[in-house]
Amino acid sequence: FSDSRNYLIGHANSTLTANAGTVYTIANAATTSVGGTGTLNLNGPGVVVLDDSLNPNTFSGGSVLSGLGTVRINTATSLGATSGAVTLKDATLQVTGDITSARNFTLASYGATISVDSTRTYSLGGLLSDGSPIGTLNKTGAGIFSLTRAAGNTYTGGTFVLSLIHISEPTRPRL
């Protein structure tokens, strides 16, 4: 299912659920986007594609990704204004474009996964911190995931690299 209407997220509990086996695409047209001050809660075991390549999403309340599903992004604003933090809990964030972002992330489960597609680079300069419960950072996909926060990150749940990729963090020596 693909949709290109305007969406207004006006509440902290605004939820979109994708059922197993479904792919729900929100593809902005030149005059449509996802806006508002609420939080986008994406739940369910399906796939949600946030394609804002024609017009940036501007919602400012952040995102909560949960429910064993996958959320695909292709720009730094697919998840709304970059000031909005992301909580990753038992879900996969799949990066399908080259993205540089200073967005903050909270890792809130052992299933918090970031997947970067082959030939793509995801440079993340925001803070990665612990949620409740403490989460891990799981990296999948053949693309490059670069942690660029100069002050380091504070999550304590560990990092699992499940594919041959490059992870760099300025405050730690490279192997």
Side-chain angles (χ1 to χ4, degrees):
F1 180 77
S2 184
D3 191 0
S4 62
R5 295 180 287 176
N6 275 318
Y7 283 86
L8 179 63
I9 300 172
H11 194 276
N13 294 323
S14 300
T15 302
L16 175 61
T17 300
N19 294 325
T22 62
V23 177
Y24 186 76
T25 301
I26 300 173
N28 297 349
T31 59
T32 63
S33 68
V34 181
T37 58
T39 301
L40 180 59
N41 294 279
L42 297 170
N43 193 5
V47 176
V48 174
V49 179
L50 298 173
D51 179 357
D52 71 332
S53 54
L54 293 179
N55 196 24
N57 290 329
T58 59
F59 64 94
S60 59
S63 301
V64 177
L65 314 181
S66 63
L68 304 175
T70 298
V71 177
R72 293 182 187 151
I73 63 170
N74 61 349
T75 73
T77 57
S78 291
L79 293 168
T82 57
S83 59
V86 172
T87 297
L88 196 53
K89 182 176 185 174
D90 291 325
T92 298
L93 177 66
Q94 182 181 358
V95 179
T96 63
D98 292 318
I99 298 174
T100 298
S101 175
R103 186 180 305 276
N104 294 329
F105 276 78
T106 299
L107 305 174
S109 73
Y110 290 111
T113 302
I114 295 178
S115 178
V116 182
D117 284 2
S118 179
T119 74
R120 300 300 181 189
T121 298
Y122 187 33
S123 297
L124 185 61
L127 174 67
L128 294 174
S129 61
D130 286 330
S132 179
I134 292 172
T136 59
L137 174 60
N138 298 286
K139 165 51 180 86
T140 62
I144 296 171
F145 182 37
S146 180
L147 300 174
T148 59
R149 181 178 162 83
N153 290 294
T154 60
Y155 72 98
T156 60
T159 302
F160 294 93
V161 178
L162 305 171
S163 61
L164 297 174
I165 51 85
H166 170 78
I167 295 179
S168 65
E169 189 169 3
T171 59
R172 295 185 183 164
R174 294 185 184 176
L175 301 177

